[in-house]
Amino acid sequence: MGVRVDVGDVRPPARVALATCAELPDADEDTRRLIAPLAARGLAATPVVWDDRAADWSEFAVIIVRSCWDYTARRTEFLTWAATTPRVLNPSAVLAWNTDKVYLAELAAQGIPVVPTTWIGADDTAPMPWQDSPQPEWVVKPAVSLSALDTGRYDIRRRDHQALALDHVRRLQHAGKTVMVQPYVATIDAAGETSLVFLGGRFSHAVRKGAVLDGPARGLDHRFAADGGLLQVCEPMPAQIELAERVLSLVPGGRDALLYARIDLVQDLDGTPLVMEAELTEPTLYFAQVPAAAERFAAAVAARVRST
């Protein structure tokens, strides 16, 4: 005797969009590791290019911004898409705040220790901060950037580096960009940079990575390349977790608005943690290094879907 199935009780899995860019139509490897854990929770995840005019975003229970790594040259368009598309995570207000690194100045004004930064507007003609400074090495980069795009490290004790650093600043200004000039934090060469990952508002794991910058900007684009840096899962210090949580409390909407966050920290010469960046838009979350974190991420997504 056959078993009668009431098809009215059979529900298709909820659909989840993993927003990516045209250069990575199948999303990056980190993001693809989410598909199986989401499926196990009844969520059918599909990579979708964020600016694909054929995409029907209404079909998805949530839209998770992951590898939209082409926004740097199209930030206004990207933010308009995020603001006019429902159920985007992280929320569009967070993306607008986070995709211009001037948020670091806001954090500093609220007492967060960040890597010291001089902000140079497109029309500024003030002397460069390295002039008459004992600091030997400096970093120059645009305020809208990712994966060290158009970023350089300069040893100002060298006359050729002085000229290259100034040329870098002027080139960014000429392009109408806000320029960030920072003293190079020397402890990175030995201690590296620590990334603290939060999923669903809770601390998940931390990864230490080696120094990325090794000289002047050379026009290299690492956005779509596999992460080749030295990565090591680590146990963060209590002071690092405390600082990261302070940062999360200050983002638009607070930490409860965030599906994911990665706070990148370095340390000063006296060991004090400093915020290098708050990655709330496009970060690698190191699921290859911590596979259980993909399960935690999927659980956080399922909770958001249930609440919609």
Side-chain angles (χ1 to χ4, degrees), residues 28 38 64 158 181 188 194 201 288:
D28 66 307
L38 288 168
I64 304 171
R158 296 176 48 174
V181 179
I188 296 176
T194 302

Side-chain angles (χ1 to χ4, degrees), residues 1 8 23 48 113 120 124 206 229 292 307:
M1 182 175 180
E23 290 84 353
V48 185
I120 301 176
D124 288 345
S307 68

Side-chain angles (χ1 to χ4, degrees), residues 55-291:
D56 183 356
W57 300 107
S58 67
E59 296 180 353
F60 299 99
V62 292
I63 299 156
I64 304 171
V65 175
R66 290 297 297 131
S67 44
C68 303
W69 296 343
D70 58 351
Y71 77 82
T72 55
R74 306 163 60 197
R75 180 171 175 263
T76 299
E77 182 182 351
F78 173 68
L79 294 179
T80 298
W81 165 80
T84 56
T85 303
R87 301 179 298 281
V88 168
L89 298 172
N90 282 328
S92 60
V94 172
L95 304 180
W97 181 80
N98 186 239
T99 51
D100 186 333
K101 292 181 177 59
V102 75
Y103 70 79
L104 290 169
E106 297 180 22
L107 292 177
Q110 296 181 77
I112 298 294
V114 305
V115 174
T117 304
T118 298
W119 303 90
I120 301 176
D123 299 321
D124 288 345
T125 58
M128 293 297 105
W130 57 74
Q131 295 180 6
D132 301 320
S133 171
Q135 171 72 28
E137 291 189 280
W138 294 78
V139 172
V140 175
K141 58 185 175 182
V144 177
S145 179
L146 60 89
S147 296
L149 184 65
D150 215 352
T151 299
R153 171 181 172 182
Y154 301 93
D155 186 343
I156 301 303
R157 294 167 296 189
R158 296 176 48 174
R159 188 175 298 276
D160 59 333
H161 275 220
Q162 290 181 29
L164 288 170
L166 184 58
D167 286 347
H168 191 171
V169 171
R170 300 305 187 212
R171 174 168 53 80
L172 294 176
Q173 286 184 297
H174 183 71
K177 299 180 180 181
T178 298
V179 186
M180 302 170 64
V181 179
Q182 300 172 320
Y184 183 74
V185 182
T187 57
I188 296 176
D189 291 334
E193 176 183 335
T194 302
S195 295
L196 280 70
V197 176
F198 292 77
L199 303 175
R202 296 184 178 183
F203 173 71
S204 171
H205 57 282
V207 170
R208 183 174 295 116
K209 50 189 174 183
V212 174
L213 299 178
D214 58 3
R218 298 190 296 273
L220 301 178
D221 188 345
H222 300 288
R223 288 176 296 170
F224 309 109
D227 194 332
L230 178 63
L231 302 173
Q232 180 181 9
V233 179
C234 64
E235 187 69 28
M237 297 181 295
Q240 291 176 313
I241 295 180
E242 178 185 0
L243 177 56
E245 290 181 336
R246 287 175 60 197
V247 171
L248 296 183
S249 72
L250 295 172
V251 305
R255 65 188 298 167
D256 290 342
L258 302 173
L259 175 62
Y260 59 83
R262 196 186 86 196
I263 309 300
D264 294 343
L265 306 178
V266 294
Q267 62 183 39
D268 208 344
L269 293 175
D270 63 0
T272 301
L274 303 172
V275 175
M276 175 170 282
E277 289 190 27
E279 298 276 11
L280 313 177
T281 303
E282 77 299 302
T284 297
L285 298 173
Y286 306 118
F287 296 136
Q289 288 70 34
V290 186

